Amino acid sequence: MGSGDVTADDVISNFYDLLDKVEAYLTDPSSSQQHKLNATQQTKFLIEVEGLDGSGKTTLVKRLQETLPHAIATKTPSSGLLADIRPLWDKRGGILARAFYMISNYVLEYEIVTGYYEQYDVIIIDRWYASTCGYTVARPPKNDSSNTLGSGEEEEQRIPNIGDMPDKMFDWPTDLRLRPNILLVLQIDQSTRQKRVDNRASSIATATTGGGEGGGAPSRFNPWDERLAKDIALGERILEALHRVRGPDETYTINANNSIEDVARQALDIVKLPMERHLNPQDHFASNPLGWWKYMGQNLQLCDESGKRMHHALWNLQVSYNSSKSSNGSSSSSSSSGSSIPILKTVGLDRIDTNFVYYWTASSAFPCNESFIWASILWMGGTYPTEFQWRAEGYLKRVTEEE
């Protein structure tokens, strides 16, 4: 199974040791662990690539790795130990195989957060949780480990339409805390896909290694090529389910019927701006500070893409102000009472556009003798160093003493 002098028993033992480490990671409530997770979310850009076998996922992932700066490609199950033990679960099939692939999603998060890819900024993933969800809801595994296919009528009666399923069926697991910044779903015609699968199968006819449920060369234990060839509607159901997965920041469809050059160009056009915005937000928003505020507000689900408030949110803001100067250059911002910089204690977001932050306030004070002041807004959320923090600067015009 493994390489060198590693026995099958060693592989299985090492697999269970890995599961113990992943469980310890997932159940660790310490602030240091939370800090690692937050740092990963801020400093890594995750791209998940999904699609049916033969749609070109692996090829696109490789091309993106070669093109994007500081990028690394991986997959679920990841290489190494999981790759060694994967054929065992593929052979068993059914619920046991699905359990293995589900566990692989958490193993990948563990690897990313604990530093396996520390030197890389961009991580491109060939299948992640979206595959687990999409394949499961499109064709739930039977209660036994059999890989035999049921009749079309039986399947149709047993599985509801993807569009009729509740949204919660497609939610990203709450305990799988890393999520893709971008999900790319490759859409391909059945005839084109099948031709690619057949060509790949003939080219490896004499090979003894395989790839299981997705992610490259097919395994002799993998029934999915046969299933998709016999049931075109199944592939359509899987793709529909992939598009309904809720968790990635953004989901895009790519036409995979064309050449790899065209597919790669589509993908690069999609990821370039979000990647730059995520990895270098200060540079990206240097000339648009309110755009930064809006972008971060979206990340925290405080406002939608249009800038409109999604829910009531109370923010503690410190407001520093510079009033207009007199003709001799001296500042006239201090009040007769000599008050210190005012504190805007409570702010409720209304909406954000390219010019203003619209808000309502309570317990606010602006002791000032001027008819108006310019106020710069600074925001900080959370308790350092365990919670996510950021600062954005915008300007409110004509803040009067009454306001």
Side-chain angles (χ1 to χ4, degrees):
M1 247 180 158
S3 59
D5 297 329
V6 179
T7 66
D9 287 341
D10 290 335
V11 171
I12 293 174
S13 177
N14 292 339
F15 173 67
Y16 284 113
D17 286 344
L18 174 62
L19 294 189
D20 288 340
K21 293 177 182 178
V22 174
E23 181 180 16
Y25 158 79
L26 292 171
T27 57
D28 183 357
S30 69
S31 59
S32 61
Q33 191 69 272
Q34 184 63 42
H35 183 57
K36 287 181 182 178
L37 177 65
N38 292 340
T40 300
Q41 291 169 329
Q42 295 176 52
T43 59
K44 306 295 182 188
F45 189 79
L46 308 182
I47 303 170
E48 179 180 359
V49 179
E50 293 288 355
L52 302 176
D53 287 348
S55 59
K57 295 183 310 302
T58 304
T59 306
L60 175 59
V61 167
K62 182 179 179 182
R63 185 64 62 91
L64 291 176
Q65 178 188 12
E66 294 169 348
T67 306
L68 296 174
H70 309 293
I72 184 68
T74 186
K75 60 184 178 180
T76 56
S78 54
S79 57
L81 176 58
L82 291 185
D84 288 340
I85 203 169
R86 176 179 182 172
L88 172 65
W89 301 101
D90 281 341
K91 185 174 182 178
R92 293 179 181 273
I95 292 177
L96 292 176
R98 292 290 172 80
F100 171 73
Y101 288 107
M102 187 65 183
I103 289 170
S104 298
N105 296 316
Y106 292 90
V107 172
L108 180 61
E109 177 183 316
Y110 165 77
E111 291 175 342
I112 294 174
V113 174
T114 56
Y116 280 56
Y117 308 99
E118 185 175 5
Q119 67 270 43
Y120 301 101
D121 297 331
V122 181
I123 302 174
I124 309 145
I125 306 162
D126 185 345
R127 295 195 185 274
W128 200 7
Y129 174 74
S131 268
T132 306
C133 177
Y135 276 79
T136 300
V137 301
R139 189 182 188 278
K142 296 182 179 181
N143 290 326
D144 62 305
S145 59
S146 172
N147 281 329
T148 58
L149 293 167
S151 69
E153 283 185 14
E154 176 189 343
E155 292 296 315
E156 237 178 81
Q157 293 174 359
R158 187 163 62 94
I159 307 173
N161 292 327
I162 299 296
D164 295 335
M165 295 181 178
D167 288 340
K168 65 181 180 181
M169 292 280 292
F170 304 91
D171 284 344
W172 200 268
T174 56
D175 57 350
L176 186 59
R177 294 164 293 183
L178 281 187
R179 301 179 179 197
N181 299 97
I182 295 286
L183 169 60
L184 301 176
V185 180
L186 303 186
Q187 198 85 24
I188 190 171
D189 295 339
Q190 168 60 15
S191 59
T192 304
R193 189 200 72 80
Q194 191 59 51
K195 185 181 298 184
R196 292 180 182 178
V197 170
D198 292 342
N199 289 339
R200 184 178 65 187
S202 62
S203 68
I204 60 168
T206 58
T208 57
T209 59
E213 186 178 318
S219 164
R220 57 179 173 166
F221 303 126
N222 178 21
W224 284 97
D225 282 343
E226 181 186 359
R227 289 172 178 168
L228 292 171
K230 288 183 177 180
D231 187 357
I232 295 176
L234 174 59
E236 295 172 348
R237 287 172 58 81
I238 292 172
L239 289 172
E240 185 179 358
L242 290 173
H243 283 98
R244 288 199 61 187
V245 172
R246 303 195 307 175
D249 292 344
E250 300 176 79
T251 299
Y252 294 91
T253 300
I254 290 182
N255 182 355
N257 292 296
N258 300 327
S259 67
I260 180 56
E261 288 74 20
D262 182 72
V263 172
R265 184 165 52 250
Q266 291 180 64
L268 290 170
D269 287 345
I270 289 171
V271 305
K272 183 179 179 181
L273 185 61
M275 183 181 70
E276 175 189 299
R277 187 176 58 196
H278 181 81
L279 296 177
N280 301 292
Q282 292 184 347
D283 293 339
H284 182 78
F285 291 110
S287 60
N288 182 17
L290 288 184
W292 188 8
W293 181 300
K294 178 179 174 181
Y295 167 68
M296 299 306 290
Q298 290 171 1
N299 285 351
L300 297 174
Q301 297 185 334
L302 298 176
C303 64
D304 60 21
E305 291 183 1
S306 69
K308 186 177 180 180
R309 181 187 66 218
M310 293 179 62
H311 59 81
H312 289 282
L314 300 181
W315 302 346
N316 290 325
L317 301 176
Q318 175 179 318
V319 177
S320 60
Y321 60 90
N322 295 311
S323 69
S324 56
K325 294 181 180 295
S326 62
S327 59
N328 62 10
S330 62
S331 173
S332 56
S333 63
S334 59
S335 66
S336 57
S337 60
S339 300
S340 60
I341 292 176
I343 299 298
L344 191 57
K345 295 182 179 178
T346 304
V347 167
L349 173 68
D350 179 54
R351 65 189 186 280
I352 303 171
D353 63 23
T354 55
N355 298 310
F356 296 101
V357 178
Y358 297 87
Y359 66 98
W360 53 264
T361 66
S363 304
S364 304
F366 287 89
C368 170
N369 291 332
E370 303 298 319
S371 60
F372 70 89
I373 57 176
W374 294 85
S376 73
I377 300 180
L378 313 178
W379 183 86
M380 184 174 70
T383 305
Y384 183 81
T386 61
E387 296 181 18
F388 183 69
Q389 299 185 26
W390 55 276
R391 178 180 114 165
E393 297 184 0
Y395 296 93
L396 304 180
K397 299 176 68 174
R398 295 192 176 277
V399 182
T400 65
E401 181 178 356
E402 182 179 336
E403 289 173 325

